[in-house]
Amino acid sequence: MTMPDGSALTVIVPALNEEAAVAATLARLRQAFGDAEILLIDDGCTDRTAELAATVPGVRILRHDTTRGYGASIKTGVRHAAHDTIAWYDADGQHTPEALAVLLERFHARGLHAAIGSRTRDSASERRRFVGKAILSAVVQLVAARRMADVNCGLRVMRRSVLGRYLHLLPDGFSAAITSTLLMLKRGYRVEFVPVVVQARIGQSSVRMLRDGLRSVHTSLRILVLFHAFRAFSFVSAMLFSVGAVYGLWVAFTYGRGFPALASVLVLSGVIIFFMGLLTDQVVALRMERLEEDVPSDAAREARVH
């Protein structure tokens, strides 16, 4: 297939001990997108990842002194990207330039803010992660209030000018992919999921299902509170108030003992949480102003420094 022009594209490649695949991955990218800016983020690698990446001409290497996480690598890449069109691309050999080209074509043709890869059934997968991914997917789709075939594919194309507004909200771990997806959807940006085939990774994965899965669920709930604070608090408030009121009235009228203490605690808790929701909603409204600020260019940032 004919590859799209990469002269206005920055490809961000996070890497943590990917010496088995990084050189071949970068070489294929460079061959397919000769004019693109390729940023390899060395996330504190202890193997030969950076050394092998340096053998591929035209690859810019940015290094973290210590391992900070997948999301931290993405944020570093976004901050240093020269172009507004940025792509996330894994260093482990799972993705292909052809799949990235499909996302780029959809991204530009439809005028999207984000084109996110959605892994098809033909894609390689690890069965031991099936249950964890299913639970995580259910939680994320509940927060997003829409069905999604894939919630955390690492292959995606986005606008730097949009994603940059939310960098302070992205976690440093693997849940950065889920967070960015939810942010785009919740803010009403034009997002489409594009079917892609993902190959089996080369080397050992650094993902820990229990640890990173729990972090992803926690992050999803944070995003829910950020964009639907009043809804989240009012739901809990209504549950506590209703249970307390029904229980208290039942005891009062059935046994004639008055309104019990436990029911009073539940009712008062519901009222307090309701007003906490109102306050949180006001705080969120103030934060929205910051989220909508334009991301300054590198030239503008340098001008401010000087």
Side-chain angles (χ1 to χ4, degrees), residues 1 5 14 47 67 94 99 115 118 136 152 163 193 222 241-242 286:
M1 64 178 298
D5 179 24
D47 62 1
T67 300
Q94 289 191 86
S118 178
L136 178 60
N152 62 344
L163 182 61
F193 294 86
R222 285 182 58 200
F241 187 90
S242 299
L286 293 175

Side-chain angles (χ1 to χ4, degrees), residues 20-47:
V22 66
T25 298
L26 295 175
R28 292 184 66 186
L29 264 177
R30 174 55 67 206
Q31 182 179 6
F33 301 96
D35 297 328
E37 177 188 40
I38 300 178
L39 302 180
L40 187 284
I41 316 300
D42 176 356
D43 192 29
C45 295
T46 57
D47 62 1

Side-chain angles (χ1 to χ4, degrees), residues 237 239-249 259-274:
S237 171
M239 291 293 294
L240 291 174
F241 187 90
S242 299
V243 171
V246 171
Y247 170 67
L249 292 174
F259 208 76
L262 177 59
S264 299
V265 170
L266 292 174
V267 170
L268 289 175
S269 297
V271 173
I272 292 172
I273 291 175
F274 175 80

Side-chain angles (χ1 to χ4, degrees), residues 134 136-151 182:
L136 178 60
S137 177
V139 172
V140 172
Q141 292 184 75
L142 179 63
V143 174
R146 62 173 288 179
R147 293 184 60 84
M148 292 178 286
D150 195 349
V151 298
L182 289 173

Side-chain angles (χ1 to χ4, degrees), residues 165-185:
R165 300 170 183 169
Y166 306 98
L167 286 187
H168 62 287
L169 297 177
L170 294 187
D172 288 341
F174 282 98
S175 54
I178 295 173
T179 304
S180 63
T181 301
L182 289 173
L183 283 166
M184 291 290 182
L185 293 173

Side-chain angles (χ1 to χ4, degrees), residues 286-301:
L286 293 175
R287 293 192 69 185
M288 289 301 104
E289 296 180 6
R290 179 184 176 186
L291 294 180
E292 295 305 324
E293 292 178 356
D294 290 334
V295 180
S297 63
D298 291 335
R301 284 196 296 268

